[in-house]
Amino acid sequence: MVEQPAGGAASADAADDAVEALDRPLPEGVRRKVVALVSDAFGGLTVTELPAQLRQYARFTPSRRAKFAGNAMAAALEGDALFRRRIGERLKETQPELSAALESGAPPAAADPVDVAAAAYVLRPAGWVKLLAAAGEEAQRVDAERADEETRRELERLREELTEARAQTKSETERLRGDLDAARKEAESLQRKLRSAANEVKRGEAALRRGRAESDAVRAEAAAQVSAAESETRRLRARLGEAEASVEAGRRAAREGRSVEDMRLRLLLDTVLEAAGGLRRELALPPSSMRPADSVDAVEPGRMSPKDIAARALSETDPALLDQLLALPQAHLIVDGYNVTKTGYPQMPLEKQRLRLLGGLAMLAAQTGAEMTCVFDGAELAAPVLLAPPRGVRVLFSKAGVTADELIRQLARAEPSGRPVVVVSTDREVADGVAKAGARPVASLLLLKRLSRV
């Protein structure tokens, strides 16, 4: 094939384009077909025959060229007449019949309008603009018919779906009505059951309240009976302890060859004698120089006035009160051990509490010379306590079943009437019990204050 000079071909194509030119964009279907024709014919050209902007796509496959270089190929085909002529020659070789029909001005009637328009756009025969317009109108008509057909099919589908939905809705409505009726009946049945259950609950609550009231009454009565039984048990234990103590004292007196009464009488006699001597010293009475005139009521120089005598009275919490009591002849100090230690230092272990208290009592006994007995509760002891009593302090533990309070009351009752006995305890029952036996109760705090000065 002999090629015309590039300048002459370009001028001829420019003249043709000046005569016939598109006044609207290519239809989309025609444009895609044109890009496909150019992409297929692209491979038959050498790199030098390609426009500069398309040479980078020379090694691409036709599908990739159509995808990535479609716009560039369309622009080159429209603006480069030589490139368009070369593509047209390749089209004539691949589709000679269609090309010849277009050249003759009689395109085949049975051909696809899009294929005819795409080939006419590339070959640019006489009347190609009309062919493109006709192809566009045909494509629009086909698209419209296709759209109408799709619309009709879509409308039929929607009508079928609507009919089916109506039937389904009707069936669902009937089913829901049936479910609603069944739910209403079930709700009525549940309401009846609920009312019945509520009535049962009310009856049960009333019965429970009655039962609780009866139970509280029975519990209160049982507690009162238990308390009475415990009181009676303590009284019987106390009497039993006293009886056992009396028996033991009688046995001990029999073994020693003297009776308890003789010992109490002797102790009382010593107490009276020492009290008389102390009273003589306190009153400063002359033994034999007293005369009747001395009995006349008068105030002698140097004697203590009633105000001075009143000033000697001490409060119940003054440690000096304990010193005065222990200064009495044959005084006996009985200490409720745990009552004192738990008042003064409860945080210490019991063993250290005992040792601390007994150490203080030993020093107090050495200072005052009074008889001292310290009583601890031994009813709950699991084993004997290993303890060496300090000098001047008698240490006693109560027996099993006997409390320290009962042992203290026994010690107070065992003393003869008239002997000064001081009991240290803040327990009201202990204080009242020893007071009835003639002893003087004092608070544990008084002893703790006195021991703090030792």
Side-chain angles (χ1 to χ4, degrees), residues 132-452:
L132 284 177
E137 293 174 357
E138 182 65 19
Q140 291 179 355
R141 186 186 62 79
V142 171
D143 291 341
E145 291 179 355
R146 187 182 299 109
D148 291 341
E149 183 63 25
E150 291 178 357
T151 302
R152 284 195 297 272
R153 287 198 297 270
E154 182 68 16
L155 183 59
E156 290 296 330
R157 185 183 65 79
L158 292 175
R159 286 176 178 173
E160 292 176 358
E161 290 182 358
L162 179 60
T163 303
E164 183 179 355
R166 286 177 176 174
Q168 186 176 1
T169 302
K170 183 177 180 181
S171 175
E172 186 70 16
T173 302
E174 293 177 355
R175 185 185 65 79
L176 290 176
R177 286 177 180 174
D179 293 345
L180 180 59
D181 294 338
R184 286 176 178 172
K185 294 179 181 179
E186 185 177 359
E188 293 176 356
S189 176
L190 291 176
Q191 287 179 353
R192 289 193 297 270
K193 292 180 180 179
L194 180 60
R195 287 193 293 269
S196 176
N199 294 332
E200 290 292 334
V201 169
K202 290 180 180 178
R203 288 194 293 270
E205 290 178 348
L208 180 61
R209 287 193 294 271
R210 290 194 300 271
R212 286 179 177 174
E214 295 175 358
S215 176
D216 293 340
V218 171
R219 190 180 294 110
E221 183 179 357
Q225 293 177 357
V226 169
S227 178
E230 290 178 351
S231 300
E232 183 66 18
T233 301
R234 286 195 297 271
R235 188 181 65 80
L236 293 176
R237 284 179 179 176
R239 293 183 61 184
L240 178 61
E242 292 175 359
E244 290 178 352
S246 299
V247 171
E248 183 64 25
R251 290 175 180 175
R252 188 166 56 251
R255 286 194 302 268
E256 295 176 356
R258 62 175 184 267
S259 65
V260 176
E261 293 298 329
D262 293 340
M263 179 183 63
R264 295 176 64 183
L265 182 60
R266 184 181 306 160
L267 182 58
L268 179 59
L269 180 59
D270 293 340
T271 302
V272 170
L273 291 176
E274 292 188 11
L279 184 60
R280 185 182 298 113
R281 289 191 300 271
E282 179 70 21
L283 297 178
L285 296 176
S288 59
S289 59
M290 294 295 294
R291 296 293 182 266
D294 294 331
S295 62
V296 177
D297 187 12
V299 177
E300 297 181 3
R303 299 291 293 180
M304 184 177 294
S305 65
K307 290 185 178 180
D308 296 332
I309 296 174
R312 298 178 59 193
L314 301 174
S315 66
E316 293 293 330
T317 59
D318 191 345
L321 175 62
L322 186 60
D323 291 334
Q324 290 185 359
L325 293 175
L326 295 180
L328 295 175
Q330 296 295 324
H332 185 188
L333 180 67
I334 302 175
V335 180
D336 188 352
Y338 288 143
N339 186 274
V340 175
T341 60
K342 292 181 180 179
T343 301
Y345 24 87
Q347 70 280 3
M348 298 176 62
L350 291 180
E351 181 180 0
K352 293 185 178 181
Q353 291 182 17
R354 290 193 295 265
L355 294 177
R356 180 172 176 177
L357 175 60
L358 293 177
L361 291 178
M363 298 180 67
L364 184 62
Q367 292 177 358
T368 62
E371 179 183 358
M372 294 192 182
T373 302
C374 186
V375 179
F376 294 106
D377 193 353
E380 301 298 331
L381 292 178
V385 177
L386 300 179
L387 177 66
R391 183 180 181 86
V393 181
R394 181 186 299 106
V395 180
L396 299 178
F397 285 89
S398 62
K399 295 182 179 180
V402 179
T403 64
D405 299 348
E406 296 171 356
L407 181 57
I408 291 172
R409 286 192 289 269
Q410 292 176 15
L411 290 172
R413 288 193 295 269
E415 296 293 340
S417 300
R419 184 185 183 188
V421 178
V422 181
V423 178
V424 180
S425 178
T426 55
D427 192 327
R428 178 51 55 188
E429 292 185 4
V430 175
D432 295 342
V434 299
K436 292 179 181 178
R440 168 65 186 273
V442 296
S444 298
L445 184 60
L446 186 64
L447 177 61
L448 291 170
K449 289 183 177 181
R450 178 63 181 84
L451 293 180
S452 64

Side-chain angles (χ1 to χ4, degrees), residues 115-147:
D115 293 340
V116 173
Y121 180 76
V122 174
L123 297 175
R124 302 291 177 92
W128 66 275
V129 175
K130 294 181 179 179
L131 291 175
L132 284 177
E137 293 174 357
E138 182 65 19
Q140 291 179 355
R141 186 186 62 79
V142 171
D143 291 341
E145 291 179 355
R146 187 182 299 109

